Amino acid sequence: MDRRGEFRSKRKHPPAAAVADRPAKQMRSERSDAVMEKAGELQTGLTMKDDPLSPPSDSASDLDDPVLPLAAAGPPDTAEWQATIERVIRNVVAIRFCQTCPFDTAPACSSEATGFVVDAERGFILTNRHVVCAGPFWGYCIFDNHEECDVYPVYRDPVHDFGILRFDPKAIKYMPVAALPLRPDLARVGVEIRVVGNDAGEKLSILSGVISRLDRNAPEYGEGYSDFNTNYIQAAAAASGGSSGSPVVNIDGFAVALQAGGRSDGAATDYFLPLDRPARALKCLQDGEPIARGTIQCQWIIKPFDECRRLGLRPDTEGEVRAHFPKETGMLVAEIVLPEGPAHTKIEEGDVLIRVNGELLTQFVRLDDILDTHVGRKVTFTVQRGGEDLEAELDVGDLHAITPDRFVTVTGASCHDLSYQQARLYAIPVRGVYVSEAVGSFSFERYQFGWLIQSIDNKKTPDLTTFIEVMKAIPDRARVVMTWKNLDDLHTLHTCIIHINRHWTSKMRMAIRNDATGKWDYTDLADALPPEPPVPRSANFIRLDSVRHSAAAELIRSFVRVECNVPVLLDGVPRGSNVGFGLVVDAGKGLVVVSRAIVPYDLCDISITVADSIIVDGTVLFLHPLQNYAIIQYDPALVQAPVKSAELSERTIRQGDSTIFLGFNENLRVSVANTTVTDITTVAVPANSYSPRYRAINLDAITVDTSLGSQCGSGVLVAEDGTVEALWLSYTGERSQSSRRDVEYHLGLASPTLLSVVRQVQRGEVPKLRIINAEFQTVHMSQARIMGVTEQWIERVSVENRERHQLFMVRKVTCGHEETLREGDVLLTLNGKLITRVSELDVMYDQTTLDVLVVRDRVEMHLQVTTVSTEDLETDHAVIFCGAVLQRPHHAVRQQISKMPSQIYVSDRVRGSPSFQYGLPTTNFITGVNGVATLTLDAFIKAVVQIPDNTYFRLKVVTFDDIPWVATMKKNDHYFPMMEFIKDPRETGGWTRQTYDEKGQVTADLSLLPNRCDYQDDGTLILLDANENAFGPGLALPPDGAAAAHGDGIGDGKDGPAEANGSGSASEMTLDLDLGRLNRYPDPHQTTLKQRFCDYRNGQLAALSSSAVSGADTASAASANPTANGATLSDANPTAGLLQPAHLFVGVGSDEAIDGIMRCFCVPGRDQMIICPPTYGMYSVCAQVNDVAIVSVPLDVAHDFQPDTDALLATLSAPAHHIKLIYLCSPGNPTGHVIAPGAVRALLAHPTWNGIVVVDEAYIDFAARGPAAATFAAWVPHHPNLIVLQTLSKAFGLAGIRLGLAIAPRPIAALLNALKAPYNVSALASAVACAALAPAGPHLRVMHAHRAAILAQRDRLAAALRETPGVGRLRGGPDANFLLVEMLDVEEEAAGTAGTRTGAGTGMGTASNEVALAVYTALATHRGVVVRFRGAELGCHGCLRVTVGTPAEVDHFVAQLRHVLRAVFWRRERERAREPEKEEEKMQKERKERKEQQRANDVVA
């Protein structure tokens, strides 16, 4: 109990009576606009989270402190005090800071406080720990003369409420900076003091007071951080928000204490931290010594002597203490002893501390002294328990070791080891994994904070290191079991299933505090493992035997549970996760209709649960712009359950009809009841004025007379025959002013409304709707008559709609399109049809222009209204910059505004970010950056990437109500790098994410997942995408494909040659490998392998030389095996030894050599390399890994993709460049052209540049003029800066053994061999490679046969493509095992001509990426053929890259390609008739945009 007789709680939940006088930290509240900030702010790491927990309004918190004007209190100061204050204020600074993410006990926040200079020479500022923050901090300070400089934490105490920041003293140029001396010894009862702080940095605050107590226990601030194991000083000063960290000075100008907190109930009581421990920490920093902090994991509290006597303090001991310390009124008593800590079982709660190491002790300061100087040593404690002296020898632990200084982010959540602070609050051991930011896969519903993970995937996670290892092993998209506890209820072990979503943030990252720089350093721990292939599952649905209507009961088989999780909050969506039910409308195709309140947009992950048993992923196919439903799809092949396709009624349900209601309530339980339709009316869901978000308009909604309608958010209305008459959906509405929550409506949507769209989707079409850009509301005849509608029209209305005598009035015209209609227009007819029902507006969906008759200002007028395409209404691009989520204004925004200032709308923002700190509100528009108009997201990105990190910039901003203003903000790329989310149908999730580094460059996604192709290979696909050898390995395999291994030799021809795979015998395919020696490491030098490769290539070069002399065919001679008769190379020709083993480096594929060359020659962060796009993507990936900057010099597209020699030479001569390497691909990938020798010769002969030229010859064996004639390998011995890369993956067909070679000058080869891992090539890979290269054996003959077959099929494929309508030029060259071919935008009759051409017929077609993507997708998803789309690369617009296959594969590919092209062009032909209308619409849109651009320029100007 405390002195008032009330119990103190270990778990920091003081009794209700104590709440009123709970103290408050004196930080300023977050900006006032944060009070209105919606729940669901985006948090660090592209993840979503609710607002941090806000304490009750009468409790103490930095979030609810009132910001009061602070003025001098009390009578006017004397001249002496005035002189002191003038000296002190030069040392006091206002601190504006953010904690960038939740950590330990604190949420992400932005706030302001005070500090003061304690070392002017080194730039040290003393302030509170809750200002310095336990987690990542960024901030700046403002001096009295309003000079500003950045501050960085150098120390935050693990327990006590002080921390030290550092600034650069040289940054303060216009005033002298002095230090305020620390004198803790001058703090005495009765001393008059002044608290010198700031009021949010605007003016100085000087509060007077008198010290009344020195022995107060540390205040408890409620939930969050609190100090302990120290006494506090109490005074009456009435400090308020912003004064945390203020110096408490005496009349001599000495700092005697540090302002920390105060009463929040209006009483003028403040609490100050004594300066003994801050003074010690400062001295250690000044001396360059570590600040040791010791602990026995026991919390002590000061209790007066009367309470100590009740606990067992003996009179003789009390007398001894009083004699030694005559001014003391109490002693230290153990309050909390942590289990498993040093004091556990040796000290108990209620023990009175008597001595430490034999020294009588009553004060915290001395106790801290002893513990801090005995870290890692033993200390003897003497306590009295019930009048008995007990002595315990305790080990002093390191307090820093149990204070987290690192955290890991994975799946969007952040976790760290449980802190001493949290453990002390709940009296539990200091161990466990604490979730500081519970978002993404680790979203917990019951509690807002305090989660301790116990296990994941049935593996215990006692600490962060174990947690990391467990998470590394879990594949993306896996569902695993997790157990957890909450600190508020440690008695209960919770069990749940979590869905691991790592594809949006694939990196698991570790952040570690760096006290030298003040930042937290991020490192990547692991990429996400690829998802495991889904497998079919079986299940049965529940039966509704108690339901009388069997047809309705059967519909339970048509419902699936839909869970949607979004990685970024866009479009004003308030929550990151939604769950409801969807209706299966086509079980064969896996089509489901679901409310847009559940699936708001397509940047999401959808999980569909069938029969409460089978979970499959879903994708978004269609989002209706007005009618509040989405159509999603799952793979029905994965669902072995009797799913039933719901039959949608074609009859429109009417008011008064009896129907059966089948719905799912908030507990996701099914409910069935007979009911009656009470009303069908045009829905008017109120707009959310706080944050515009999607809402349904222009449709009729159904209500029923059962209470289940309000309880159920998903369901259907069912007729007696089982047909679905209406869907029951959730509709998101306005925000309630009383509850501050979004209102959700539950209404019905008639089935005929969906039929047209559902049927299009069933046919595999994407509905392309058009709408009138206006919202309508009903007008009754009494109103219509007053507005000018004639009696004749009123009579017609009564005849044509006997149920509803109504017309429609334009309520609001959507901004951003041609405004032919106006607000207040009364709609009479569309295309001559009187409109009295909202469903009659559906005629707009497939009409480009409508003939509209309206009444405007009591006058009838005909208008030609152009409808608006809905294809651009959905968000397809979002940018996260400085914590602000920026996007193009979505449809709901356009519905609510009359003027659109720009295409950059602030949709959300992150707490603790620059956008939050500097007050950039949501629902505003950005129109300019640093005086440059930026009206689009692309223009904005272009402007901000040029802004250096940690630099201020100006934003021109316009509010939602069209009021311009200017915001200033400082960029922070370290904690808040800019990210883009871009819709990309080629990606698995339909979107791609890219991040910008501090230099404004896009960082590569280095999560190199081991996927064979863009589509999951289930063994049935024909893979023509990866340029593998379709004919198999270049080995003489027996019919079963097996190979023998022994130690006596390899297939050397003794048993006769085998000309093709499957025709050899088992003895022919044996490996020179002793399986009994697999316990030994392989040969690190690979001498035999290198010699055989040299013999093979030298033999080709010798054959070429001989053919040049004899006049033989070059290509055939170069391809022949010169040692077929068993002679060695040295015996066969005079050029033996041109290439020697000393020239070779052997690695794991050519990729190891590509990476090794960069590591060998480039200094990370300084050197550069040249690539010539379009080219092999691994060069860029390795450059990003090694931090080597890329300089792109594109190939000459107009001249067969040859290197642009002039541009290359000029780039090498530029003095600003620091280029070490040039990577060339010959034959090129994806270009297929061999590089002309002149280009390489010119680079090697450059007069001033002496870097390395690397020529990648992966496809050299397929060169049209033969490998020996095309290779640069023969040049290597004569050029000290040339490296040639080759591989056994392509022509040799040995991609599976991953073996590549670098042919380099001897010194370079020696460097590469020294750099590699000792045993990088396995014995198995080496044995297979040696067998393949064996002279006079059957394997080389098989390889040559395969190569010849590939060349023949290449010619055959090229001829077939030239005869295919819709196929354009063979864009690439004839030197690889693939072809690069254009897809045209028109279908033409084949001309049957050879050679390159524009099209197959008239030559009028042009290459089209749209067609190429459609063909690529259709081939893979419906035709079982996978190729590569290359249309995004330079010079390859509209191109597909097709690997040459076997004859059967070529036949199948050509047939399927022609089929797909016919289907693609058939769909395009249907759209072509509408081209004139689209062109007119486009021109109108451009005119509108030009007008908006001009208006925006006027605003910026």
Side-chain angles (χ1 to χ4, degrees):
M1 291 188 296
D2 64 15
R3 297 184 184 186
R4 296 173 309 200
E6 295 171 339
F7 286 94
R8 297 172 55 88
S9 170
K10 288 183 180 181
R11 296 194 178 182
K12 243 172 57 172
H13 296 293
V19 170
D21 53 12
R22 184 188 298 172
K25 302 170 188 173
Q26 300 297 357
M27 292 193 301
R28 184 173 182 258
S29 299
E30 292 194 88
R31 296 185 176 273
S32 57
D33 58 4
V35 178
M36 298 298 294
E37 193 72 22
K38 65 180 178 292
E41 290 285 344
L42 174 71
Q43 292 295 331
T44 305
L46 321 166
T47 57
M48 315 307 303
K49 185 178 181 347
D50 292 338
D51 284 344
L53 177 66
S54 296
S57 59
D58 58 349
S59 68
S61 169
D62 60 316
L63 297 179
D64 64 359
D65 262 349
V67 182
L68 303 176
L70 303 183
D77 280 333
T78 64
E80 189 176 2
W81 265 116
Q82 290 179 355
T84 297
I85 295 302
E86 288 179 3
R87 294 196 308 272
V88 170
I89 59 175
R90 291 195 298 270
N91 308 315
V92 179
V93 298
I95 301 171
R96 298 179 180 177
F97 68 95
C98 295
Q99 177 164 301
T100 64
C101 63
F103 186 83
D104 198 13
T105 61
C109 68
S110 301
S111 190
E112 300 175 1
T114 308
F116 58 97
V117 179
V118 291
D119 189 324
E121 180 181 351
R122 297 176 177 85
F124 291 148
I125 294 173
L126 180 64
T127 186
N128 292 127
R129 179 191 187 271
H130 64 261
V131 175
V132 176
C133 303
F137 167 101
W138 73 273
Y140 60 94
C141 68
I142 301 175
F143 282 78
D144 182 55
N145 68 341
H146 285 270
E147 286 191 80
E148 174 186 326
C149 64
D150 294 333
V151 290
Y152 303 95
V154 293
Y155 181 72
R156 68 264 285 165
D157 195 80
V159 169
H160 301 320
D161 196 6
F162 76 92
I164 297 175
L165 300 172
R166 172 181 286 155
F167 71 98
D168 182 3
K170 297 178 182 178
I172 308 304
K173 304 180 183 303
Y174 302 106
M175 64 172 282
V177 179
L180 198 59
L182 304 183
R183 291 294 303 274
D185 57 305
L186 298 181
R188 303 186 183 96
V189 173
V191 171
E192 187 177 5
I193 49 90
R194 297 290 184 271
V195 181
V196 184
N198 77 91
D199 180 10
E202 300 295 334
K203 67 176 182 179
L204 193 65
S205 166
I206 304 171
L207 304 175
S208 62
V210 176
I211 294 177
S212 58
R213 289 181 59 186
L214 300 176
D215 59 350
R216 191 197 190 284
N217 281 305
E220 285 191 356
Y221 298 121
E223 298 296 347
Y225 165 76
S226 292
D227 202 348
F228 62 97
N229 280 354
T230 182
N231 58 292
Y232 263 62
I233 299 170
Q234 181 173 312
S240 186
S243 62
S244 279
S246 298
V248 179
V249 299
N250 65 5
I251 197 169
D252 296 319
F254 294 117
V256 300
L258 178 68
Q259 164 72 15
R263 292 280 289 270
S264 61
D265 58 355
T269 304
D270 284 272
Y271 307 118
F272 309 141
L273 177 72
L275 293 178
D276 304 85
R277 308 319 292 166
R280 170 185 175 267
L282 175 63
K283 183 67 166 55
C284 290
L285 284 175
Q286 291 169 331
D287 295 342
E289 298 176 356
I291 306 172
R293 296 287 277 114
T295 181
I296 59 168
Q297 297 185 26
C298 175
Q299 178 178 337
W300 304 90
I301 191 171
I302 303 172
K303 285 189 176 291
F305 282 117
D306 56 334
E307 291 191 29
C308 292
R309 285 194 295 274
R310 292 198 293 272
L311 291 169
L313 179 66
R314 295 198 308 267
D316 61 319
T317 306
E318 180 180 353
E320 182 182 7
V321 170
R322 286 182 180 271
H324 278 81
F325 309 106
K327 295 184 179 181
E328 296 293 341
T329 60
M331 300 181 69
L332 300 182
V333 176
E335 185 184 31
I336 297 175
V337 179
L338 266 61
E340 302 179 12
H344 185 222
T345 70
K346 298 179 180 180
I347 294 179
E348 295 181 2
E349 290 84 352
D351 287 353
V352 181
L353 181 62
I354 307 300
R355 288 181 174 82
V356 178
N357 282 348
E359 176 184 343
L360 204 62
L361 191 149
T362 63
Q363 295 185 339
F364 283 113
V365 172
R366 182 56 187 146
L367 178 60
D368 269 354
D369 279 336
I370 296 173
L371 293 178
D372 291 348
T373 55
H374 287 75
V375 176
R377 297 156 61 189
K378 294 186 180 296
V379 170
T380 301
F381 278 72
T382 303
V383 298
Q384 277 191 7
R385 183 184 306 161
E388 180 183 356
D389 283 349
L390 300 173
E391 188 172 284
E393 187 177 60
L394 306 180
D395 294 314
V396 179
D398 184 357
L399 192 52
H400 294 300
I402 55 175
T403 302
D405 62 354
R406 62 174 188 158
F407 65 91
V408 65
T409 60
V410 60
T411 74
S414 299
C415 306
H416 56 74
D417 286 311
L418 183 69
S419 69
Y420 183 33
Q421 274 284 340
Q422 295 278 32
R424 185 231 14 138
L425 282 172
Y426 297 91
I428 58 177
V430 190
R431 57 176 169 80
V433 178
Y434 179 78
V435 184
S436 59
E437 187 173 15
V439 293
S441 300
F442 293 90
S443 295
F444 299 86
E445 296 179 358
R446 277 188 66 184
Y447 301 91
Q448 292 182 302
F449 60 90
W451 310 273
L452 285 175
I453 297 177
Q454 305 297 303
S455 70
I456 295 179
D457 198 17
N458 301 308
K459 300 176 180 65
K460 299 293 184 182
T461 54
D463 52 50
L464 190 64
T465 301
T466 306
F467 171 82
I468 292 170
E469 294 306 313
V470 171
M471 289 301 299
K472 283 181 179 179
I474 301 176
D476 184 27
R477 300 183 185 273
R479 289 174 172 86
V480 296
V481 178
M482 180 178 72
T483 60
W484 55 280
K485 292 184 178 181
N486 190 271
L487 292 175
D488 280 341
D489 181 15
L490 292 167
H491 302 287
T492 304
L493 178 67
H494 302 269
T495 302
C496 63
I497 308 297
I498 62 172
H499 188 194
I500 303 298
N501 289 326
R502 292 188 58 187
H503 38 279
W504 300 115
T505 52
S506 61
K507 299 291 184 185
M508 184 190 302
R509 305 186 74 201
M510 174 73 81
I512 301 177
R513 193 181 73 213
N514 186 337
D515 288 331
T517 64
K519 294 182 178 181
W520 291 60
D521 299 328
Y522 289 91
T523 55
D524 294 335
L525 296 180
D527 291 322
L529 295 178
E532 294 180 350
V535 296
R537 304 286 186 188
S538 60
N540 287 306
F541 289 86
I542 63 170
R543 297 176 58 88
L544 301 180
D545 294 333
S546 60
V547 175
R548 289 177 296 173
H549 303 284
S550 60
E554 279 295 298
L555 271 178
I556 194 67
R557 297 195 287 118
S558 301
F559 279 98
V560 294
R561 188 166 73 243
V562 179
E563 180 178 358
C564 178
N565 293 283
V566 299
V568 182
L569 290 185
L570 301 173
D571 296 358
V573 170
R575 296 183 300 273
S577 179
N578 298 291
V579 180
F581 278 81
L583 181 70
V584 178
V585 293
D586 191 325
K589 293 182 171 63
L591 301 181
V592 180
V593 177
V594 65
S595 169
R596 282 198 66 167
I598 298 171
V599 181
Y601 45 81
D602 56 6
L603 177 56
C604 63
D605 290 311
I606 296 176
S607 295
I608 297 175
T609 304
V610 182
D612 288 330
S613 177
I614 307 169
I615 303 177
V616 293
D617 292 333
T619 57
V620 178
L621 295 184
F622 175 75
L623 297 162
H624 200 287
L626 304 179
Q627 295 180 351
N628 192 50
Y629 70 87
I631 297 179
I632 61 178
Q633 185 178 38
Y634 65 89
D635 184 357
L638 300 175
V639 177
Q640 297 175 351
V643 182
K644 177 182 178 181
S645 299
E647 182 182 353
L648 301 181
S649 174
E650 297 189 8
R651 186 188 76 88
T652 301
I653 195 170
R654 304 168 67 88
Q655 184 178 8
D657 284 354
S658 295
T659 187
I660 304 169
F661 182 93
L662 187 153
F664 294 84
N665 59 25
E666 60 184 10
N667 295 321
L668 306 181
R669 304 297 298 171
V670 65
S671 300
V672 183
N674 291 323
T675 187
T676 303
V677 176
T678 57
D679 196 11
I680 301 177
T681 185
T682 302
V683 70
V685 175
N688 194 317
S689 58
Y690 170 72
S691 178
R693 62 195 53 151
Y694 175 87
R695 64 191 181 96
I697 62 171
N698 299 345
L699 79 161
D700 279 337
I702 301 169
T703 57
V704 292
D705 68 349
T706 174
S707 62
L708 292 178
S710 60
Q711 299 171 14
C712 298
S714 306
V716 290
L717 301 181
V718 189
E720 292 284 348
D721 61 358
T723 58
V724 175
E725 298 179 297
L727 271 69
W728 198 254
L729 304 173
S730 297
Y731 294 72
T732 303
E734 77 281 13
R735 171 162 289 193
S736 169
Q737 295 299 318
S738 57
S739 68
R740 308 296 300 167
R741 294 183 179 274
D742 294 318
V743 178
E744 192 171 86
Y745 299 90
H746 300 155
L747 301 166
L749 178 66
S751 296
T753 307
L754 291 76
L755 283 174
S756 174
V757 169
V758 169
R759 286 167 181 168
Q760 288 185 65
V761 175
Q762 286 175 319
R763 293 194 298 267
E765 304 172 7
V766 177
K768 297 181 179 180
L769 307 184
R770 303 184 67 84
I771 61 173
I772 299 173
N773 61 317
E775 178 181 355
F776 295 94
Q777 67 182 50
T778 57
V779 177
H780 298 297
M781 293 303 96
S782 60
Q783 300 166 317
R785 183 177 284 112
I786 297 171
M787 299 176 75
V789 179
T790 65
E791 296 299 323
Q792 291 82 358
W793 284 112
I794 293 175
E795 177 64 23
R796 282 190 60 182
V797 170
S798 65
V799 172
E800 296 200 18
N801 189 349
R802 297 180 180 181
E803 297 178 348
R804 299 279 179 177
H805 294 173
Q806 63 186 19
L807 288 170
F808 294 93
M809 180 188 75
V810 177
R811 178 183 178 275
K812 182 73 176 66
V813 176
T814 303
C815 176
H817 303 283
E818 183 180 0
E819 298 178 4
T820 308
L821 294 173
R822 297 180 185 174
E823 281 90 351
D825 287 350
V826 178
L827 177 64
L828 294 178
T829 66
L830 290 180
N831 289 349
K833 171 74 168 83
L834 179 64
I835 304 299
T836 65
R837 299 176 178 86
V838 74
S839 60
E840 293 168 343
L841 293 174
D842 291 357
V843 68
M844 64 184 172
Y845 288 142
D846 58 1
Q847 299 292 319
T848 303
T849 305
L850 295 170
D851 180 27
V852 181
L853 178 62
V854 300
V855 174
R856 179 183 297 169
D857 299 332
R858 302 185 61 83
V859 177
E860 292 183 13
M861 59 177 62
H862 281 276
L863 304 173
Q864 291 297 310
V865 176
T866 301
T867 56
V868 175
S869 172
T870 60
E871 292 181 57
D872 66 340
L873 294 184
E874 301 299 334
T875 299
D876 58 5
H877 189 191
V879 176
I880 302 176
F881 175 73
C882 286
V885 180
L886 311 176
Q887 64 174 99
R888 188 165 56 93
H890 54 93
H891 196 206
V893 174
R894 301 184 189 194
Q895 288 174 333
Q896 292 183 227
I897 61 175
S898 58
K899 179 181 178 182
M900 193 157 55
S902 77
Q903 295 286 322
I904 308 170
Y905 174 74
V906 183
S907 178
D908 205 350
R909 59 181 184 172
V910 181
R911 286 191 181 274
S913 69
S915 63
F916 207 97
Q917 169 76 357
Y918 293 98
L920 179 64
T922 57
T923 73
N924 279 227
F925 297 83
I926 297 174
T927 60
V929 178
N930 286 340
V932 177
T934 55
L935 302 181
T936 65
L937 286 173
D938 290 336
F940 178 83
I941 293 171
K942 184 177 179 180
V944 298
V945 294
Q946 301 175 26
I947 301 172
D949 187 28
N950 203 40
T951 303
Y952 276 106
F953 57 93
R954 303 187 315 279
L955 292 178
K956 186 75 172 181
V957 187
V958 178
T959 68
F960 197 79
D961 296 320
D962 205 31
I963 301 172
W965 61 288
V966 175
T968 59
M969 190 182 300
K970 181 180 285 188
K971 196 177 182 185
N972 188 317
D973 286 326
H974 183 75
Y975 294 118
F976 300 97
M978 183 166 65
M979 290 186 291
E980 274 189 284
F981 286 85
I982 304 169
K983 194 168 185 176
D984 186 349
R986 295 172 298 175
E987 294 292 328
T988 303
W991 287 72
T992 185
R993 191 194 80 166
Q994 57 187 26
T995 304
Y996 290 76
D997 60 19
E998 296 181 7
K999 300 175 183 177
Q1001 301 294 319
V1002 176
T1003 59
D1005 181 6
L1006 302 181
S1007 55
L1008 305 177
L1009 302 182
N1011 293 334
R1012 287 192 61 193
C1013 61
D1014 295 340
Y1015 288 82
Q1016 183 65 46
D1017 178 18
D1018 59 0
T1020 64
L1021 297 176
I1022 294 177
L1023 303 178
L1024 305 180
D1025 66 319
N1027 299 339
E1028 296 157 314
N1029 192 317
F1031 288 82
L1035 300 171
L1037 298 176
D1040 61 358
H1046 58 76
D1048 299 326
I1050 61 172
D1052 52 9
K1054 295 178 181 177
D1055 299 319
E1059 298 299 335
N1061 282 349
S1063 63
S1065 64
S1067 62
E1068 290 173 338
M1069 186 49 215
T1070 54
L1071 305 180
D1072 190 7
L1073 177 66
D1074 185 354
L1075 296 178
R1077 291 187 58 80
L1078 286 181
N1079 62 316
R1080 302 299 182 186
Y1081 289 112
D1083 176 12
H1085 306 295
Q1086 299 296 332
T1087 306
T1088 301
L1089 171 59
K1090 291 177 181 178
Q1091 185 62 61
R1092 288 194 175 179
F1093 182 82
C1094 289
D1095 289 348
Y1096 177 70
R1097 288 304 187 202
N1098 287 337
Q1100 289 181 318
L1101 295 172
L1104 176 67
S1105 176
S1106 299
S1107 66
V1109 174
S1110 64
D1113 178 69
T1114 302
S1116 59
S1119 302
N1121 186 348
T1123 58
N1125 295 322
T1128 64
L1129 180 66
S1130 56
D1131 297 329
N1133 63 77
T1135 59
L1138 182 62
L1139 295 180
Q1140 298 293 331
H1143 289 118
L1144 298 189
F1145 162 80
V1146 181
V1148 182
S1150 297
D1151 296 340
E1152 184 178 1
I1154 292 170
D1155 177 73
I1157 292 168
M1158 294 182 199
R1159 291 191 289 120
C1160 190
F1161 292 104
C1162 294
V1163 176
R1166 186 192 72 179
D1167 289 340
Q1168 300 168 304
M1169 56 175 263
I1170 289 178
I1171 63 171
C1172 299
T1175 192
Y1176 182 40
M1178 198 65 189
Y1179 309 145
S1180 297
V1181 171
C1182 290
Q1184 295 287 349
V1185 170
N1186 291 287
D1187 196 14
V1188 178
I1190 294 174
V1191 178
S1192 292
V1193 181
L1195 297 174
D1196 189 343
V1197 176
H1199 295 86
D1200 292 336
F1201 292 101
Q1202 288 297 313
D1204 188 339
T1205 306
D1206 293 340
L1208 284 168
L1209 295 176
T1211 303
L1212 294 177
S1213 300
H1217 288 144
H1218 208 273
I1219 295 168
K1220 289 289 189 67
L1221 303 172
I1222 301 174
Y1223 279 88
L1224 300 173
C1225 199
S1226 177
N1229 178 9
T1231 63
H1233 278 289
V1234 167
I1235 292 176
V1240 177
R1241 186 178 293 110
L1243 296 174
L1244 294 172
H1246 193 283
T1248 60
W1249 182 74
N1250 62 348
I1252 306 297
V1253 177
V1254 183
V1255 181
D1256 188 345
E1257 294 185 346
Y1259 302 96
I1260 197 65
D1261 289 286
F1262 303 110
R1265 53 197 174 98
T1271 184
F1272 290 94
W1275 294 24
V1276 169
H1278 311 292
H1279 294 277
N1281 58 338
L1282 173 64
I1283 301 176
V1284 173
L1285 306 180
Q1286 294 187 1
T1287 180
L1288 299 189
S1289 296
K1290 306 302 180 183
F1292 282 84
L1294 298 176
I1297 69 170
R1298 301 298 297 128
L1299 195 140
L1301 304 98
I1303 306 169
R1306 294 172 186 262
I1308 294 179
L1311 286 174
L1312 293 174
N1313 283 303
L1315 189 69
K1316 72 176 182 67
Y1319 308 103
N1320 58 331
V1321 177
S1322 73
L1324 292 171
S1326 179
V1328 173
C1330 286
L1333 290 165
H1339 309 302
L1340 279 177
R1341 288 194 293 274
V1342 172
M1343 186 277 286
H1344 287 298
H1346 287 178
R1347 174 185 175 275
I1350 289 173
L1351 298 183
Q1353 291 306 310
R1354 182 178 67 189
D1355 295 341
R1356 182 168 167 265
L1357 175 60
L1361 290 173
R1362 294 189 185 102
E1363 298 296 328
T1364 301
V1367 172
R1369 293 176 294 178
L1370 300 181
R1371 197 68 183 89
D1375 297 314
N1377 69 333
F1378 57 82
L1379 294 176
L1380 186 67
V1381 59
E1382 287 179 337
M1383 300 291 110
L1384 301 180
D1385 59 356
V1386 295
E1387 185 176 22
E1388 300 181 345
E1389 292 300 323
T1393 57
T1396 59
R1397 54 180 173 76
T1398 302
T1402 63
M1404 297 301 293
T1406 58
S1408 169
N1409 266 357
E1410 180 183 357
V1411 174
L1413 270 173
V1415 171
Y1416 159 75
T1417 303
L1419 283 172
T1421 56
H1422 303 299
R1423 299 292 163 180
V1425 181
V1426 183
V1427 296
R1428 282 284 169 93
F1429 173 75
R1430 283 291 178 256
E1433 299 188 39
L1434 178 70
C1436 303
H1437 186 77
C1439 286
L1440 300 178
R1441 194 193 70 191
V1442 184
T1443 304
V1444 176
T1446 64
E1449 290 173 341
V1450 169
D1451 291 342
H1452 184 77
F1453 165 70
V1454 172
Q1456 298 306 320
L1457 173 66
R1458 291 172 177 172
H1459 181 91
V1460 167
L1461 279 170
R1462 285 195 296 271
V1464 168
F1465 287 120
W1466 177 78
R1467 294 191 184 97
R1468 289 171 61 86
E1469 188 62 33
R1470 291 197 308 164
E1471 296 291 328
R1472 191 166 299 167
R1474 298 170 56 189
E1475 286 298 329
E1477 299 173 351
K1478 289 184 177 181
E1479 185 63 27
E1480 177 62 25
E1481 178 187 355
K1482 179 181 177 182
M1483 293 174 62
Q1484 292 176 354
K1485 183 177 180 181
E1486 289 175 350
R1487 287 196 294 270
K1488 181 70 175 177
E1489 290 176 348
R1490 284 197 295 270
K1491 291 179 182 179
E1492 292 178 355
Q1493 178 80 29
Q1494 185 59 48
R1495 286 198 297 265
N1497 287 338
D1498 294 341
V1499 171
V1500 173

